Amino acid sequence: MKLLEYSSKEVMKEFGINVQPGFLARNMEEVRQAIDKLNFPVVIKAQVPVGGRGKAGGIKLASNKEEALEKAEKILSMKIKGIPVKKVLVSEAIDIDREFYLGIVIDRRSGKAVVMASAEGGVDIEEVARTKPEAIHKLEVTPRWGLRPFEARELMFKIFDDKKTALKASGFLLKLYSCFAEKDAQLAEINPLALDKQGELWAVDAKILIDDNALPRHPELESLRDMDYADLKELEAKEADLSFVSLDGYIGCCVNGAGLAMATMDIIKKYGGEPANFLDIGGSSRPEKVRKAMEIILRDPKVRSIYFNIFGGITRCDDVAKGLIQAFKELNVKQPVIIRLTGTNEDIARKMLEESGLPLHPVKTMREGAIRAIEMAGEKPLI
Ligand code: GDP
Ligand code: MN
């Protein structure tokens, strides 16, 4: 789960990280209220789930009320990288002297957290990594010990030349590490970490990615979930106890079992098709679950054909058939539905589908199903 800047700062603040005072505003009335509580200059920041907002014009400083209102109005009506801005963070601006970078990520290869620090902050860090990799200092954290104070100091002395600031930054980094570790983050990033003219350090921009698999351990984070940009299909699936991941293709997939779901996507890809989603309706599938799955698939406008691939074990084929028939009655299914049912109560299911008179396209094998799904989506399968 990606936390937007304002939520990331909220979480970081709990760990004692220095964040400038600010308020989230969804409309001009709220912008006005925020401004009244802050000292000028203020900074208005678009809250969208993409980086590079500054360059795109989504971050503006304002030194008085009129200017702030005018800029907030402009930002609230703009799109950044195609994403409409729905809210802004209005904060007291920092008088920035220098900008640094601080980030902690999980390195998939070593399975450890890696701290990254650079004196080249504020800009796109991927760009720095490409053009000037030596400017990024890294430190691998031993999970057993966590980040130790001397390690934090050693790293901070590499990017700050002044001892007092380096020591202050070490404390800052240790807090960021606690935040990262305690919240089961995959990424916790501050860019820029700003040093102001008074020698104070601030998290001017913040980003946290929480490991979705750890979310059950963090019910407190649920309220920070951004509902403006969340994938609603994925959320709804989660509520219905279905595993669902949105993809870019055009074939909606409804499968039971994660392994079979992966195999189904593989076989679609093998014949040149593109799956629109991964969907595992799970083991014992009740008819309502199938109906819900269908509802979620149908909400995706990219879907041009739907492939049901069910291997009946614990899941009984007749239950799936019942769900499908119910779904067809209640939902407006315009796309062709290709269906492969095999296993427990297969015969009963087949008979039920036939008798329902619904325009379903039964197939015998997985391969045949994939090819039909591609054809019926109007594409040419690679055979
Ligand atoms: P991003 O462009 O999406 O990464 O958004 P940031 O929050 O990192 O802001 C981009 C840039 O705007 C920063 O690197 C700063 O140079 C500038 N900026 C943001 N907030 C402030 C602030 O409070 N004071 C000043 N002086 N500049 C700011
Ligand atoms: Mn930034």
Side-chain angles (χ1 to χ4, degrees):
M1 175 168 76
K2 185 187 237 170
L3 300 183
L4 294 184
E5 178 191 2
Y6 74 97
S7 308
S8 302
K9 284 181 166 174
E10 213 47 58
V11 173
M12 287 186 187
K13 223 161 43 182
E14 283 171 34
F15 288 83
I17 291 172
N18 216 11
V19 169
Q20 66 228 87
F23 301 95
L24 186 72
R26 310 191 127 268
N27 50 52
M28 288 311 289
E29 183 48 39
E30 289 179 8
V31 171
R32 243 170 247 124
Q33 288 170 8
I35 291 173
D36 286 341
K37 285 182 257 180
L38 298 168
N39 297 309
F40 288 104
V42 295
V43 58
I44 322 270
K45 312 182 77 177
Q47 298 298 292
V48 284
V50 289
R53 296 166 300 162
K55 269 189 202 150
I59 291 175
K60 294 273 185 243
L61 291 162
S63 50
N64 59 56
K65 192 167 176 171
E66 293 69 49
E67 195 186 352
L69 290 174
E70 186 191 316
K71 289 184 168 161
E73 188 153 31
K74 202 172 272 173
I75 293 175
L76 273 170
S77 64
M78 71 188 286
K79 276 187 182 178
I80 295 178
K81 297 182 182 166
I83 301 170
V85 177
K86 303 226 169 117
K87 48 195 181 271
V88 290
L89 176 62
V90 187
S91 298
E92 284 183 9
I94 303 297
D95 192 5
I96 300 178
D97 189 24
R98 285 184 63 196
E99 302 190 348
F100 299 83
Y101 173 92
L102 214 50
I104 307 175
V105 283
I106 294 286
D107 173 28
R108 294 270 166 216
R109 232 168 308 168
S110 63
K112 292 178 184 165
V114 173
V115 182
M116 293 184 292
S118 178
E120 313 264 330
V123 290
D124 182 4
I125 198 71
E126 279 86 20
E127 180 66 20
V128 179
R130 239 186 338 266
T131 56
K132 208 175 161 193
E134 70 281 2
I136 302 176
H137 303 275
K138 293 184 182 173
L139 171 82
E140 200 171 75
V141 180
T142 307
R144 170 158 184 189
W145 296 310
L147 181 66
R148 290 171 289 178
F150 77 89
E151 291 174 316
R153 284 196 294 275
E154 196 174 2
L155 191 66
M156 290 302 97
F157 271 104
K158 287 184 182 159
I159 64 168
F160 292 96
D161 12 87
D162 162 60
K163 181 178 172 189
K164 206 172 139 209
T165 316
L167 291 177
K168 196 181 268 182
S170 311
F172 204 100
L173 172 56
L174 288 167
K175 289 174 193 161
L176 184 64
Y177 184 80
S178 304
C179 171
F180 174 88
E182 278 180 41
K183 295 296 180 187
D184 293 308
Q186 288 170 308
L187 169 87
E189 186 181 72
I190 298 176
N191 187 28
L193 163 67
L195 180 64
D196 71 11
K197 305 251 163 71
Q198 289 72 46
E200 207 51 67
L201 287 165
W202 301 89
V204 160
D205 187 10
K207 179 175 167 187
I208 298 179
L209 281 179
I210 305 286
D211 183 342
D212 284 345
N213 294 313
L215 286 175
R217 307 210 304 193
H218 300 287
E220 81 282 3
L221 294 177
E222 212 42 52
S223 64
L224 295 180
R225 187 184 285 282
D226 189 89
M227 295 311 287
D228 287 325
Y229 304 110
D231 188 323
L232 295 178
K233 295 194 293 307
E234 290 189 7
L235 276 183
E236 203 182 333
K238 195 172 144 214
E239 246 155 52
D241 199 22
L242 303 161
S243 312
F244 180 91
V245 181
S246 274
L247 299 168
D248 297 330
Y250 50 83
I251 299 175
C253 300
C254 184
V255 186
N256 68 321
L260 186 61
M262 295 300 284
T264 305
M265 296 194 306
D266 279 349
I267 204 158
I268 289 173
K269 292 285 259 192
K270 178 175 162 142
Y271 291 106
E274 293 293 341
N277 65 278
F278 167 99
L279 196 160
D280 172 13
I281 58 173
S284 71
S285 216
R286 298 179 313 274
E288 316 86 74
K289 253 171 119 174
V290 180
R291 203 192 76 95
K292 191 80 203 173
M294 194 72 173
E295 210 180 299
I296 292 168
I297 291 177
L298 286 172
R299 203 158 304 147
D300 183 349
K302 300 190 306 301
V303 170
R304 283 183 261 145
S305 69
I306 299 168
Y307 185 14
F308 261 78
N309 188 7
I310 305 296
F311 185 85
I314 299 169
T315 307
R316 289 170 20 210
C317 292
D318 54 325
D319 259 353
V320 175
K322 208 186 288 171
L324 249 182
I325 293 169
Q326 201 178 321
F328 260 89
K329 276 193 196 132
E330 293 169 24
L331 306 165
N332 183 15
V333 188
K334 292 204 187 79
Q335 296 90 332
V337 178
I338 294 91
I339 178 160
R340 174 203 178 227
L341 279 170
T342 186
T344 312
N345 290 358
E346 168 182 343
D347 302 339
I348 307 177
R350 203 158 284 152
K351 199 150 162 256
M352 282 169 69
L353 291 176
E354 260 165 41
E355 284 170 2
S356 72
L358 295 172
L360 298 163
H361 307 270
V363 292
K364 288 234 163 58
T365 66
M366 240 171 104
R367 176 179 178 276
E368 193 189 338
I371 294 170
R372 281 298 287 282
I374 297 169
E375 280 171 353
M376 301 201 83
E379 300 287 330
K380 203 171 148 39
L382 304 172
I383 306 174

